[in-house]
Amino acid sequence: MKTAADNYEDIIRLAHHVSVSHPQMPVSERAAQFSPFAALTGYEAAIRETGRLTETRIELDEDMAAELDDKLRTLQEQMEEQPEASVTYFLPDEKKAGGAYVTVTGRIRKIDRYKGTIIMRDGTNILIRDVTALSFDTMV
């Protein structure tokens, strides 16, 4: 009975063939052929994005809104001094529902009631409707 080794008895002891016309592939490139296949490309990023937490927007009650409006009015009266203030506002998330509350501290350059924005000296534009808290030193 013939074995598998008997089938190749005539070539088993020959020297390994090296092609003259085709150079050998470098080992570093050969390894890339056997790297794992990522069938679910982007799946890991989607899992991270789903797990990322966002906050829900808080709706101000009438008293809080009136207090905030008074502070804005007082701040607007002091605009010549470009007062320093801390503004906390809701920043909507670009990719999913919700967002984050951000606090910016700096000098206010302008309060534009027509556009509904607070413009900081550093160029940050904050929508007044997104502001939840405002604090500053009054200059009387």
Side-chain angles (χ1 to χ4, degrees), residues 28-58:
S28 61
E29 290 182 26
R30 287 184 64 204
Q33 291 183 35
F34 303 105
S35 64
F37 174 68
L40 300 174
T41 305
Y43 182 70
E44 195 70 33
I47 293 287
R48 265 193 312 274
E49 177 61 26
T50 302
R52 188 170 56 84
L53 298 177
T54 57
E55 298 178 76
T56 55
R57 181 188 297 262
I58 298 170

Side-chain angles (χ1 to χ4, degrees), residues 1-139:
M1 177 167 215
K2 268 185 144 180
T3 64
D6 294 336
N7 289 337
Y8 300 102
E9 192 62 40
D10 57 333
I11 62 169
I12 200 83
R13 290 183 177 72
L14 292 178
H16 177 71
H17 173 73
V18 177
S19 174
V20 179
S21 58
H22 301 288
Q24 276 191 313
M25 182 183 287
V27 175
S28 61
E29 290 182 26
R30 287 184 64 204
Q33 291 183 35
F34 303 105
S35 64
F37 174 68
L40 300 174
T41 305
Y43 182 70
E44 195 70 33
I47 293 287
R48 265 193 312 274
E49 177 61 26
T50 302
R52 188 170 56 84
L53 298 177
T54 57
E55 298 178 76
T56 55
R57 181 188 297 262
I58 298 170
E59 295 298 325
L60 300 178
D61 62 22
E62 287 182 32
D63 293 335
M64 292 172 69
E67 181 183 334
L68 190 60
D69 197 45
D70 288 343
K71 286 182 178 181
L72 276 170
R73 202 171 300 113
T74 303
L75 192 58
Q76 195 157 19
E77 291 168 2
Q78 299 177 7
M79 285 312 301
E80 286 185 21
E81 292 86 19
Q82 288 191 347
E84 184 168 274
S86 290
V87 183
T88 301
Y89 64 100
F90 184 76
L91 183 64
D93 194 287
E94 294 178 0
K95 295 184 179 181
K96 60 198 284 187
Y101 283 92
V102 179
T103 300
V104 176
T105 301
R107 300 230 175 255
I108 295 180
R109 185 175 59 186
K110 181 180 180 182
I111 297 176
D112 189 339
R113 290 276 188 168
Y114 180 73
K115 291 183 180 178
T117 59
I118 297 173
I119 303 168
M120 306 296 283
R121 192 186 285 175
D122 68 1
T124 304
N125 285 336
I126 302 167
L127 291 174
I128 292 173
R129 70 171 185 254
D130 292 337
V131 175
T132 57
L134 180 62
S135 63
F136 58 95
D137 292 330
T138 57
M139 298 176 192

